[in-house]
Amino acid sequence: MPRSNAHATAGEEEYLQSLFWLHEAGLPLTAANLGRAMRLSAPTVSEMVGRLERDGYITRDGDRTIHFTDSGRADAQLIVSRHRLIERFLTDVVGVPWDDVHEEAERLEHAMTPRFEAYVRASVGDADTCPHGHPIRVGERIQGVPLADCEVGARITVLRLENEAEDLLHHLMSQRVHPGLGAVVTAKDTELITIAPQAGGEPTSLTISVAETVSVTAEPSPPPRTALPEQLVLGQGRYGR
Ligand SMILES: [Zn+2]
């Protein structure tokens, strides 16, 4: 189907980013998974998926599985890479805290000319990832395991915060969990997992659903997997659909 729009709208770009994340993570591209990834309801997602199909970014199978069109994938890749680059620029150069940067980048990227983007690229040097651990050059994603799958006694290094929802990032920041953190799993039950930073300092506890969104490398390591919890329980109260 020919593309009817030269540029994705801001709303379409957010969906394309989340769809591309599902694709990178090897998860099925379905409206249900998109809803989980974006913390949005099924009707909201289904309307936008229809729009993306109409505008030629995606097609859908008989069983409703979503596929990128060639041009849709290329556009999504560009959008994702640019978003992660701006996030890195905003944290490293401008000094925006990493738990605030996702929303700021969303706004900034729509106002950026190619000329300014070249300056941004030069200013972050050879940074490989966004501040949440996602590769700027797509295709360079390192496979991880969910922190939630790790055993007591495992040594872990945080690789990536898979879900960049604002509340979740604020929560992880407040718990001092960030890419590059080295820690040991010291306790785990059906609700909570506790890790103690290798550098010392207070241990921190996360709910299992939050720990599912934190990808790590671990020793010993459970099988590789990217989790997509249906609902995020941050602590008290529930967050999500
Ligand atoms: Zn990011």
Side-chain angles (χ1 to χ4, degrees), residues 7-216:
H7 294 288
T9 63
E12 282 179 327
E13 290 203 355
E14 280 184 53
Y15 277 75
L16 288 171
Q17 285 186 42
S18 293
L19 265 179
F20 195 83
W21 174 78
L22 290 174
H23 165 73
E24 275 183 315
L27 293 164
L29 273 64
T30 61
N33 279 348
L34 200 50
R36 286 181 177 193
M38 300 184 77
R39 330 307 306 168
L40 292 173
S41 70
T44 310
V45 170
S46 129
E47 196 203 314
M48 183 58 97
V49 167
R51 210 188 303 173
L52 290 175
E53 188 174 28
R54 199 193 57 214
D55 286 349
Y57 293 103
I58 58 164
T59 58
R60 275 182 291 180
D61 279 353
D63 68 356
R64 313 311 276 166
T65 302
I66 297 167
H67 301 274
F68 278 116
T69 60
D70 288 344
S71 62
R73 186 182 301 104
D75 284 347
Q77 208 162 311
L78 214 74
I79 290 162
V80 161
S81 177
R82 192 178 56 194
H83 177 81
R84 293 172 183 171
L85 173 73
I86 298 169
E87 283 189 340
R88 177 53 76 181
F89 166 76
L90 287 174
T91 43
D92 288 13
V93 181
V94 183
V96 179
W98 62 255
D99 60 331
D100 277 332
V101 83
H102 181 79
E103 308 292 321
E104 294 301 335
E106 293 276 306
R107 288 178 206 112
L108 189 62
E109 65 198 28
H110 303 291
M112 207 165 68
T113 62
R115 209 164 91 99
F116 183 61
E117 186 176 334
Y119 284 117
V120 168
R121 205 167 282 278
S123 75
V124 299
D126 51 7
D128 290 334
T129 65
C130 84
H132 315 106
H134 298 262
I136 291 172
R137 281 175 299 277
V138 296
E140 295 186 2
R141 181 181 161 101
I142 301 165
Q143 179 71 277
V145 301
L147 173 59
D149 290 2
C150 296
E151 300 165 11
V152 172
R155 293 179 172 275
I156 61 111
T157 302
V158 175
L159 196 55
R160 197 163 42 237
L161 310 177
E162 297 291 356
N163 193 309
E164 301 191 5
E166 210 173 6
D167 294 27
L168 180 59
L169 293 182
H170 290 327
H171 175 68
L172 290 167
M173 168 78 98
S174 74
Q175 299 301 309
R176 303 170 308 280
V177 174
H178 55 83
L181 175 72
V184 176
V185 179
T186 55
K188 184 182 169 184
D189 60 27
T190 53
E191 303 203 336
L192 290 177
I193 184 165
T194 304
I195 57 173
Q198 235 143 26
E202 289 290 293
T204 190
S205 292
L206 299 176
T207 65
I208 293 297
S209 66
V210 168
E212 287 206 293
T213 71
V214 177
S215 282
V216 303

